[in-house]
Amino acid sequence: MTFLRRIVVLSRNRKFGRYPETRRANCGWRTIQASMAFLVLLLLMHASPGFGANPDTQTVLTGSRQRIEKLDYRATGRLTRVEGDGKRTSYKFAAKGHWFPDGLRLLFEVSGSGAAKTSLLVHMSASGRVTIEALLPGEKAASVLPFERWNDPLAGTDFSYEDMVENWFFWKNQELLPSAKYGARDCFVLKSTSGAQERSSYSSVTSWIDQGILLPMQVVKTLRATGQQKEFLSYGLRQNGGVWSAGQVEAKQPGKPGSSMLVIEAGTPKANLGLKDFDLSPSSAQGVPAK
């Protein structure tokens, strides 16, 4: 309602008769106050870094979430910890993932030279809520992994249990920073911040996302408890069956010698998986065929 319309409406009111000058002045002041309040509200809305504030933010988040919601893969490879002196400790790695109506399921199995194996079943709901079940060496049955252990090293590497899932793209607080280069690639830079509603070991995650294929090239995670950062770098980008992925991912922590490499050696992006493929028990086996 405009200022003039409010004056006309009030002038027709029967109570608008005594001390008209004072009432007009009060009415005008109240209208100005309301207009100022509305203007401040508009400014706050436009200044908010919410999901809909920037069209590019929606593009990045929608594309990243759709990429995850289409996952249906099997993969095998190796997980290697490289010490500062060059010493290497390697494990075999098998994984599979599929997005179901109730969210994403990821099953990982890491095995060394002996019989000991570490198996993880990660479930992420459509809202980004994560639960992790683990069957660890020496244990006879799988159990829910306590949140306090999500940041534990996976098989002694720089990867943690939580690092196996890209849950930050589903957090509520997202901010698009100025675009930047990663090597020769033009990247969106997205900062995701975890709030009270998200369970995560990390307070924030910043992703450099290729503007053409919407795949993270570099990711920097900040630990909630200590403020320490972890960096993840993607190499060997490839397209298989219309799906882009990285051939290997390196994880490293500033100030800590060495790094860890997750190398994909074989797999398929269209595995046609079902719920039966995500059984976490001592008798289950990944059985990932090389393709």
Side-chain angles (χ1 to χ4, degrees):
M1 181 181 294
T2 65
F3 177 82
L4 290 178
R5 285 186 60 195
R6 292 192 64 173
I7 292 296
V8 171
V9 170
L10 288 172
S11 68
R12 293 176 179 175
N13 193 302
R14 287 181 298 175
K15 295 183 180 180
F16 192 78
R18 190 179 182 184
Y19 308 118
E21 292 80 7
T22 302
R23 292 182 181 276
R24 288 193 185 95
N26 290 340
C27 175
W29 175 238
R30 287 196 300 270
T31 303
I32 292 173
Q33 285 181 312
S35 300
M36 290 173 63
F38 183 65
L39 178 60
V40 170
L41 178 60
L42 285 177
L43 290 174
L44 289 174
M45 290 173 61
H46 284 287
S48 173
F51 177 54
N54 189 325
D56 285 339
T57 306
Q58 185 169 359
T59 298
V60 174
L61 285 175
T62 299
S64 298
R65 291 172 181 176
Q66 287 180 347
R67 173 177 58 81
I68 296 170
E69 291 167 358
K70 293 178 180 178
L71 288 178
D72 178 36
Y73 73 89
R74 292 179 183 266
T76 56
R78 65 183 186 275
L79 179 62
T80 303
R81 166 65 188 167
V82 184
E83 304 296 340
D85 58 3
K87 179 183 177 182
R88 292 173 173 261
T89 304
S90 294
Y91 305 87
K92 293 181 179 180
F93 178 88
K96 48 190 172 185
H98 185 90
W99 184 276
F100 294 94
D102 66 343
L104 180 67
R105 278 178 169 79
L106 303 172
L107 183 58
F108 300 88
E109 185 179 86
V110 179
S111 57
S113 55
K117 294 182 180 180
T118 297
S119 300
L120 300 175
L121 177 60
V122 182
H123 177 253
M124 183 179 71
S125 70
S127 63
R129 182 172 177 80
V130 173
T131 56
I132 303 176
E133 294 180 64
L135 180 58
L136 303 177
E139 297 183 352
K140 297 181 179 181
S143 60
V144 175
L145 191 71
F147 172 68
E148 294 74 19
R149 297 193 59 189
W150 285 14
N151 191 49
D152 286 0
L154 177 59
T157 69
D158 295 284
F159 293 93
S160 71
Y161 299 121
E162 187 180 350
D163 290 333
M164 297 297 101
V165 61
E166 297 175 294
N167 53 332
W168 65 90
F169 286 119
F170 293 81
W171 293 350
K172 181 179 179 181
N173 299 319
Q174 307 283 349
E175 179 184 4
L176 196 66
L177 304 179
S179 298
K181 287 277 191 179
Y182 177 77
R185 295 180 176 274
D186 294 317
C187 292
F188 294 114
V189 182
L190 180 72
K191 183 176 182 180
S192 309
T193 304
S194 62
Q197 68 275 15
E198 286 102 11
R199 296 179 68 202
S200 174
S201 304
Y202 301 103
S203 59
S204 67
V205 178
T206 303
S207 311
W208 283 255
I209 303 169
D210 184 279
Q211 294 184 5
I213 60 178
L214 294 180
L215 194 70
M217 301 291 100
Q218 179 185 24
V219 175
V220 175
K221 300 181 179 182
T222 302
L223 284 167
R224 188 190 299 274
T226 63
Q228 181 183 3
Q229 292 188 328
K230 294 174 67 176
E231 184 179 19
F232 302 82
L233 305 174
S234 297
Y235 305 100
L237 298 185
R238 55 196 180 191
Q239 188 179 31
N240 185 1
V243 178
W244 282 95
S245 63
Q248 57 185 14
V249 178
E250 180 182 18
K252 54 186 178 180
Q253 303 179 49
K256 180 179 178 180
S259 64
S260 300
M261 298 293 297
L262 177 66
V263 181
I264 306 300
E265 297 175 332
T268 174
K270 297 181 180 180
N272 297 316
L273 299 173
L275 285 173
K276 59 180 175 57
D277 295 298
F278 295 87
D279 176 28
L280 185 59
S281 64
S283 59
S284 66
Q286 290 280 358
V288 181
K291 293 189 179 182

